[in-house]
Amino acid sequence: MKASLILTVSLCLISCAPAKSSYFGEESWVGLTASGAEISFSQLEKEEIALNVYSPDCVPCWKEIPALNLLHAEIESQFPKKALYMVVDPYQIVPDITDDRPFGEVYKLAKERMEMEVKNRKIQVPIVFMKRPFHVKEGGLITGTPETLLFVTKPMRLYYNFLGAISEQMSMDVIRKDPKFNFFRYQFGMESL
């Protein structure tokens, strides 16, 4: 009797649970673009967003850029309810910066570093410099780079965390055939496998 009561209460609680959320504070994620415009990801007029976490010190991140540029162009032209952003933790990518430094100061230094990355590595994906609570750190949601997080936005909820490079291929034809690239496209609702 007691076991069936516990089961009944548990089932009721599960079915009455609030809207899904991944509980990582992603509803409050905000960043600045290179032009200084503020983006609140939970407020975007998109149904799904992909956030690719980048670092200039990460070799797989460099190798992934052709695949990201290809995805960005395809999303922009064919999937208006989706978006792809390259996000950086400014406190991670600026050498010798401590967490107590003001965001504005760190943003300026990170922006200068990423301007060189855009030029030298031909990055075409829009870059966002993330404010706290976003943080790349061991033991957190984002533990390293590259990672690409897939979210639905209403409410903002993480549904897939793609660890590692989406593809490290260089040729567009080879990228399009890469199983990892196509798995990403499938997870982001761009194509069936």
Side-chain angles (χ1 to χ4, degrees):
M1 175 75 172
K2 188 175 181 180
S4 65
L5 179 60
I6 291 171
L7 178 62
T8 304
V9 169
S10 297
L11 289 173
C12 181
L13 289 174
I14 291 169
S15 65
C16 299
K20 290 182 179 180
S21 173
S22 53
Y23 305 107
F24 292 112
E26 62 272 26
E27 282 285 331
S28 63
W29 283 4
V30 174
L32 295 181
T33 66
S35 67
E38 187 170 271
I39 290 183
S40 174
F41 291 103
S42 64
Q43 303 301 314
L44 290 176
E45 295 298 320
K46 302 289 182 180
E47 292 176 2
E48 292 180 89
I49 58 171
L51 302 180
N52 175 266
V53 186
Y54 181 86
S55 172
D57 301 317
C58 164
V59 174
C61 294
W62 308 340
K63 292 180 177 180
E64 185 181 39
I65 291 169
L68 293 174
N69 287 342
L70 181 62
L71 285 167
H72 174 65
E74 185 177 356
I75 290 166
E76 286 285 298
S77 66
Q78 297 177 35
F79 298 95
K81 295 185 181 210
K82 298 181 186 296
L84 169 64
Y85 294 93
M86 180 179 283
V87 297
V88 296
D89 179 348
Y91 290 87
Q92 180 208 24
I93 70 165
V94 176
D96 304 319
I97 288 289
T98 58
D99 284 349
D100 61 343
R101 297 281 284 277
F103 177 81
E105 180 183 321
V106 180
Y107 163 73
K108 182 181 177 198
L109 296 169
K111 181 179 163 185
E112 289 171 6
R113 186 156 191 214
M114 287 305 295
E115 285 171 350
M116 294 300 295
E117 287 293 298
V118 168
K119 179 182 175 188
N120 294 338
R121 304 205 189 279
K122 300 175 177 46
I123 298 170
Q124 298 168 4
V125 181
I127 297 169
V128 180
F129 301 85
M130 299 300 290
K131 294 181 176 183
R132 297 289 189 245
F134 182 94
H135 192 48
V136 176
K137 67 175 182 174
E138 195 137 334
L141 173 61
I142 302 128
T143 58
T145 55
E147 286 188 33
T148 305
L149 297 92
L150 306 181
F151 293 93
V152 292
T153 59
K154 307 295 182 235
M156 190 157 166
R157 178 182 58 83
L158 176 69
Y159 69 88
Y160 197 85
N161 190 350
F162 197 94
L163 300 175
I166 291 169
S167 176
E168 292 188 11
Q169 303 300 322
M170 302 303 286
S171 157
M172 293 302 135
D173 291 336
V174 177
I175 292 171
R176 285 186 177 96
K177 294 175 186 171
D178 187 331
K180 287 173 64 179
F181 179 81
N182 286 309
F183 180 73
F184 174 87
R185 292 181 80 254
Y186 173 77
Q187 286 296 329
F188 201 48
M190 297 170 68
E191 177 179 285
S192 60
L193 286 176

